[in-house]
Amino acid sequence: MSTNEKNESRDRGKAPSGERVADWADGRLGIYSLAKANMRKIFPDHWSFMLGEICLYSFIIIILTGVYLTLFFHPSMNEVEYHGSYVPLQGQLMSEAFSSTLHISFDVRGGLLIRQIHHWAALVFLAGMFVHMMRVFFTGAFRKPREVNWLFGFLLFVLGMFTGFTGYSLPDDLLSGTGVRFMEGAILSVPIVGTYLSFFLFGGEFPGGDFVARFYSIHILLLPGIMLGLVVGHLILVFYHKHTQFAGPGRTNKNVVGMPLMPVYMAKAGGFFFLVFGVIAAVSAIATINPIWAMGPYRPDQVSTGAQPDWYMGFSEGLIRVMPGWEVNFWGHTLVLGVFIPLMIFPLVLVAIAVYPFIESWVTGDKREHHILDRPRNAPTRTAFGVAWMTWYFVLLIGGGNDLWATHFHLSINSITWFVRIAFFVAPVVAFIVTKRICLGLQRRDKDKVLHGRESGIIKRLPHGEFIEVHEPLSQDALYTLTAHEQYEPAEIGPTVDENGVERKVKGSEKLRARLSKAYYGEESQIPKPSVEEYKEITSGHGHH
Amino acid sequence: MFAPADKAQADDTAQSLAIDEGKKLYAVGCASCHGTGGQGTSDGPSLVGVGSAAVDFQVGTGRMPAQQPGAQVPKKKVVYSQAEIDQLAAYISSLGAGPTVPTEQQYSPEGADIAEGGELFRTNCAQCHNFTGKGGALTNGKSAPSLEDVDPKHIYEAMQTGPQNMPSFPDTTLSEQNKKDIIAYLDAVNSDDTESPGGLELGGLGPVSEGLFAWVFGLGALIAVAVWVAARTAKAKKS
């Protein structure tokens, strides 16, 4: 500010109160420069870029409702006799955890609604993260510089799964107790240390009197604390990297075309928060979730059919349900492969998708930054891998719900189990091949559209009697959008003999990389996009329609 | 001198009439699988000693006569009148002693302990029939049916006789009072009058249907909302 302006402002008298508050805060917090740098941050417009927001908002809703629930929940396994208002459990013995959950559901004002919002929001949170992750995957948004943020997001998904699982276990009802029992069994199957781990976790024999209090600390403190940190880091990185955008005229790797955070996205995002809250609250008011009163208190000697975990743990249930009950006995020890193998595959399923970005960047050897998103069809191998992974995941979900598939589709549960066993190996391969072919087909269609224009549906008869369909040329914008993607050349192994004629040893990893690169970008895996020459040749009107 | 004998004869006649009628019905509707004397064949088990309760359950719920062989004989439309069912039952119980049809006093949920029934149900029945009797799958296409709105008499008889894949729970295992309690529990948690305090029950099947609902109606609605919000930009022109 110049001296003149200063004088003028002094002449105007006292600044308005809002400005004085801002001044006061800026003098102490230095927020002006931070806000100046970030408030006008540009975000591109696309509905799929709002999937992450759904996750963020449902996470906030979970925290808010969770705080309310902690006010009434007693994380204790002391045995009490129930004398609340739910008649079919009158006089039953149960843990304090279960009875306080009944109390929240029936005797705390708004308790049941808050419980249902908390639980529905958790299911939506995980589903939102899944879809958000797939959006990032299929558009290649995980490429440099966003690999770390991809891992942050992945960790959030995995931690979300375990936060959900510990929360689902807290009411100590018959359903969740069966889930905890299953977890105990899985831990016990670990060779050598399994029993020690189980006794350490449960403070002795299952179920003991400790696990609810321990899960409570993990559920409300440890995991959400880590997740909150990751969410903040995730968002800081989104700001730092700036948002990706789809290709289009005027959009380059160096700019972002969209609307500024302040005021447009502030309004949109703020409004969207209330819409998310509204939808989740409406769902929670319409449909019940986890009706623990119907399930009854947990007792290790009872079990019900249809005992499944929440959907995000469903694939692990599938792994265990379809695994043959193999067992090895030696020197008086038993190795329960029927449980231990699924326990080992469980992290593998998750890691398979998490490490993919690193595999792809190794194959391409591309060290450049990418801020323009791919259309899934233009990266056929990646898209095929993603669909194969989702197929794998879905096949396991079928396994996890095999009993309900059996009763609702009048099938034999044994046939479903065998289907899942075979499909576990076969379905991803089929999905990979089919998806890749579809992508290539779509690429051919794009090429056709660029070179020959859009089919107008108008049939024209030429003077000599021939019928042709009139093709409308695409607009310049559309042409740009369809041809903006770049296509990699398959990597070669390079010269094996140097300038002095000395032969160099070719490493196995180099050969593998060349092979993979050929599989990714060879003739079989991408349709060369139309070149300018081709376009000119065809549109010049010599000998073409 | 003949009067007492007359009376006794009259009783016998009513009973034997029912048996006779039942035998005729049996010969038409049941004998092809269960054999002409109820001794059983390769297509159907022996009915000697199953008792009238088994007949009342199987025929009274429409399971018998069976329509076709399969993993399990499903419940369907009842084809006999209650009078005919009673005659069939009389005939079958004449073949050998077995559990008899319970009286209303035995199976009515009046004066039973619902909470006790719930505990018994979770201990003995929930493994196959689910927490509140919504049913569940068994091996090779068999299933434990839903117990929603099943006649209390039929629930009692099923426990007594153990139809098809179900184990039987005679009075030595589950006393008369226990059975009453279980019936009262089912009446409280799984009938037309059952209230679901949290809203739609989604089949009462647990996390699978909840997960499906969360994906379709929770996330589905939110994505629809996201598309709607994203379609409204701050631009002057709205395309």
Side-chain angles (χ1 to χ4, degrees):
Chain A
M1 266 187 228
S2 71
T3 354
N4 263 353
E5 279 171 331
K6 251 182 199 166
N7 289 339
E8 269 172 29
S9 71
R10 199 171 295 152
D11 291 345
R12 274 196 236 120
K14 252 182 160 184
S17 56
E19 193 182 322
R20 275 185 292 137
V21 171
D23 246 10
W24 185 91
D26 183 43
R28 281 148 189 87
L29 302 169
I31 48 175
Y32 174 71
S33 52
L34 199 70
K36 192 186 174 193
N38 292 310
M39 277 307 176
R40 297 292 295 173
K41 205 87 182 173
I42 299 296
F43 282 91
D45 246 339
H46 194 270
W47 68 267
S48 71
F49 301 161
M50 302 175 83
L51 292 167
E53 278 180 68
I54 296 180
C55 307
L56 176 66
Y57 301 150
S58 43
F59 185 55
I60 293 171
I61 294 165
I62 293 169
I63 291 176
L64 292 176
T65 50
V67 169
Y68 186 80
L69 294 174
T70 59
L71 304 180
F72 304 100
F73 180 72
H74 302 171
S76 150
M77 292 178 85
N78 291 338
E79 201 169 47
V80 294
E81 205 177 296
Y82 182 68
H83 291 292
S85 39
Y86 185 66
V87 175
L89 286 171
Q90 284 296 345
Q92 290 285 297
L93 292 175
M94 56 186 63
S95 65
E96 235 183 298
F98 187 79
S99 106
S100 64
T101 313
L102 287 177
H103 179 71
I104 291 171
S105 305
F106 295 113
D107 303 306
V108 171
R109 191 172 295 269
L112 182 55
L113 182 63
I114 298 289
R115 241 198 86 212
Q116 298 200 147
I117 293 177
H118 190 70
H119 204 144
W120 279 122
L123 294 198
V124 168
F125 178 43
L126 268 297
M129 282 200 281
F130 189 94
V131 178
H132 176 49
M133 198 164 126
M134 289 300 109
R135 196 286 290 171
V136 168
F137 183 89
F138 286 113
T139 57
F142 53 71
R143 289 171 298 170
K144 191 183 172 189
R146 297 182 178 80
E147 300 101 321
V148 175
N149 224 15
W150 162 264
L151 286 182
F152 277 17
F154 171 74
L155 276 178
L156 278 167
F157 182 69
V158 175
L159 291 176
M161 283 169 54
F162 284 97
T163 315
F165 180 78
T166 46
Y168 150 101
S169 307
L170 287 181
D172 199 24
D173 57 286
L174 188 50
L175 176 65
S176 71
T178 309
V180 178
R181 175 65 133 183
F182 162 55
M183 191 188 92
E184 191 234 356
I187 294 172
L188 283 180
S189 78
V190 179
I192 303 168
V193 293
T195 11
Y196 296 95
L197 284 177
S198 169
F199 270 60
F200 174 68
L201 183 63
F202 291 97
E205 274 290 355
F206 177 86
D210 287 338
F211 91 80
V212 168
R214 291 180 179 183
F215 277 30
Y216 188 62
S217 300
I218 295 169
H219 177 72
I220 71 157
L221 196 65
L222 181 65
L223 295 180
I226 300 172
M227 287 179 75
L228 203 57
L230 281 171
V231 166
V232 171
H234 199 72
L235 290 177
I236 289 176
L237 283 179
V238 168
F239 268 75
Y240 175 66
H241 293 142
K242 302 178 187 68
H243 208 287
T244 50
Q245 57 189 346
F246 282 107
R251 298 176 185 185
T252 70
N253 213 25
K254 294 204 166 73
N255 71 4
V256 184
V257 179
M259 294 287 159
L261 179 68
M262 192 74 186
V264 176
Y265 267 92
M266 257 345 187
K268 270 196 175 188
F272 193 45
F273 170 76
F274 290 106
L275 287 167
V276 172
F277 207 154
V279 167
I280 291 176
V283 165
S284 311
I286 290 168
T288 195
I289 186 164
N290 199 22
I292 49 131
W293 55 89
M295 289 151 189
Y298 182 62
R299 268 178 39 179
D301 62 334
Q302 294 176 344
V303 70
S304 165
T305 187
Q308 269 107 353
D310 278 344
W311 79 263
Y312 44 84
M313 282 288 182
F315 76 98
S316 64
E317 179 82 12
L319 281 168
I320 197 83
R321 284 194 181 199
V322 303
M323 180 71 199
W326 295 341
E327 213 177 83
V328 183
N329 290 290
F330 55 98
W331 302 307
H333 296 278
T334 305
L335 190 57
V336 192
L337 294 173
V339 182
F340 186 59
I341 291 176
L343 183 68
M344 294 295 100
I345 301 177
F346 170 73
L348 274 184
V349 173
L350 296 169
V351 166
I353 197 78
V355 299
Y356 177 82
F358 301 95
I359 295 171
E360 191 185 295
S361 84
W362 177 68
V363 171
T364 58
D366 188 351
K367 303 272 181 275
R368 294 167 303 162
E369 294 202 352
H370 291 275
H371 300 288
I372 297 285
L373 296 171
D374 280 328
R375 295 169 84 206
R377 69 185 62 173
N378 291 331
T381 310
R382 176 203 299 151
T383 304
F385 179 87
V387 173
W389 183 80
M390 285 205 297
T391 308
W392 206 32
Y393 191 94
F394 186 69
V395 161
L396 289 173
L397 278 184
I398 295 177
N402 59 0
D403 51 343
L404 293 173
W405 283 85
T407 49
H408 285 72
F409 295 98
H410 300 284
L411 297 165
S412 156
I413 200 168
N414 306 51
S415 324
I416 297 167
T417 300
W418 270 106
F419 167 79
V420 172
R421 282 174 184 172
I422 295 165
F424 178 83
F425 297 101
V426 175
V429 178
V430 173
F432 185 92
I433 295 167
V434 169
T435 309
K436 202 164 163 183
R437 300 314 308 173
I438 292 175
C439 286
L440 293 179
L442 289 169
Q443 281 191 22
R444 280 198 194 90
R445 180 163 164 272
D446 283 350
K447 184 176 184 176
D448 210 49
K449 249 162 90 176
V450 167
L451 293 180
H452 300 279
R454 192 179 65 84
E455 289 177 12
S456 64
I458 298 167
I459 307 292
K460 201 161 93 177
R461 189 178 177 189
L462 298 181
H464 59 274
E466 185 189 351
F467 286 98
I468 57 158
E469 183 178 8
V470 179
H471 284 230
E472 277 174 20
L474 297 185
S475 69
Q476 205 60 33
D477 286 4
L479 285 177
Y480 176 81
T481 309
L482 288 182
T483 52
H485 62 286
E486 86 181 86
Q487 293 187 313
Y488 288 101
E489 293 288 323
E492 302 284 341
I493 298 187
T496 51
V497 180
D498 70 4
E499 64 268 26
N500 299 323
V502 179
E503 208 170 309
R504 137 187 110 84
K505 207 166 169 238
V506 180
K507 279 190 282 183
S509 63
E510 265 181 280
K511 285 186 194 155
L512 176 68
R513 189 171 142 187
R515 275 234 300 281
L516 278 176
S517 183
K518 193 157 173 256
Y520 261 79
Y521 307 112
E523 278 172 27
E524 300 283 299
S525 302
Q526 57 186 3
I527 308 299
K529 66 177 183 179
S531 63
V532 179
E533 293 74 44
E534 271 180 294
Y535 182 73
K536 282 195 177 135
E537 158 82 22
I538 281 182
T539 48
S540 60
H542 302 305
H544 293 280
H545 301 308
Chain B
M1 185 180 176
F2 289 111
D6 268 354
K7 194 162 190 279
Q9 250 172 10
D11 270 1
D12 272 350
T13 316
Q15 180 68 16
S16 60
L17 242 163
I19 292 172
D20 277 352
E21 287 304 311
K23 193 172 181 179
K24 284 180 205 154
L25 287 167
Y26 177 89
V28 176
C30 321
S32 56
C33 297
H34 291 290
T36 46
Q39 78 281 17
T41 71
S42 56
D43 294 330
S46 161
L47 300 180
V48 177
V50 298
S52 57
V55 179
D56 194 63
F57 175 84
Q58 299 281 4
V59 186
T61 59
R63 285 178 169 80
M64 288 292 148
Q67 200 166 37
Q68 61 190 7
Q72 185 168 302
V73 180
K75 188 176 161 176
K76 54 184 184 297
K77 204 171 151 268
V78 182
V79 287
Y80 291 99
S81 70
Q82 190 57 49
E84 289 168 325
I85 294 170
D86 291 342
Q87 288 165 349
L88 271 172
Y91 169 64
I92 296 299
S93 41
S94 76
L95 300 176
T100 51
V101 178
T103 62
E104 193 175 342
Q105 202 205 345
Q106 281 174 296
Y107 60 73
S108 110
E110 300 290 315
D113 184 342
I114 295 174
E116 177 72 19
E119 192 182 345
L120 287 164
F121 190 85
R122 286 188 291 275
T123 308
N124 296 292
C125 321
Q127 296 96 312
C128 303
H129 286 287
N130 144 309
F131 303 95
T132 52
K134 302 290 183 191
L138 302 175
T139 52
N140 293 317
K142 294 173 285 197
S143 66
S146 163
L147 304 177
E148 194 174 344
D149 279 328
V150 176
D151 189 334
K153 180 174 75 164
H154 291 143
I155 297 176
Y156 194 100
E157 287 165 349
M159 287 190 273
Q160 261 186 323
T161 61
Q164 304 198 32
N165 302 297
M166 181 168 158
S168 66
F169 298 86
D171 291 353
T172 45
T173 312
L174 279 179
S175 70
E176 232 172 72
Q177 184 60 39
N178 289 160
K179 291 193 176 86
K180 238 173 138 73
D181 293 344
I182 288 174
I183 289 167
Y185 172 72
L186 283 172
D187 186 53
V189 300
N190 193 3
S191 70
D192 267 352
D193 314 324
T194 304
E195 278 180 24
S196 172
L200 296 178
E201 266 192 311
L202 308 179
L205 299 168
V208 174
S209 51
E210 289 163 5
L212 195 62
F213 195 82
W215 270 91
V216 175
F217 294 100
L219 196 68
L222 287 172
I223 288 177
V225 169
V227 171
W228 180 74
V229 170
R232 266 139 194 84
T233 70
K235 271 181 240 159
K237 88 174 164 73
K238 220 170 88 182
S239 48

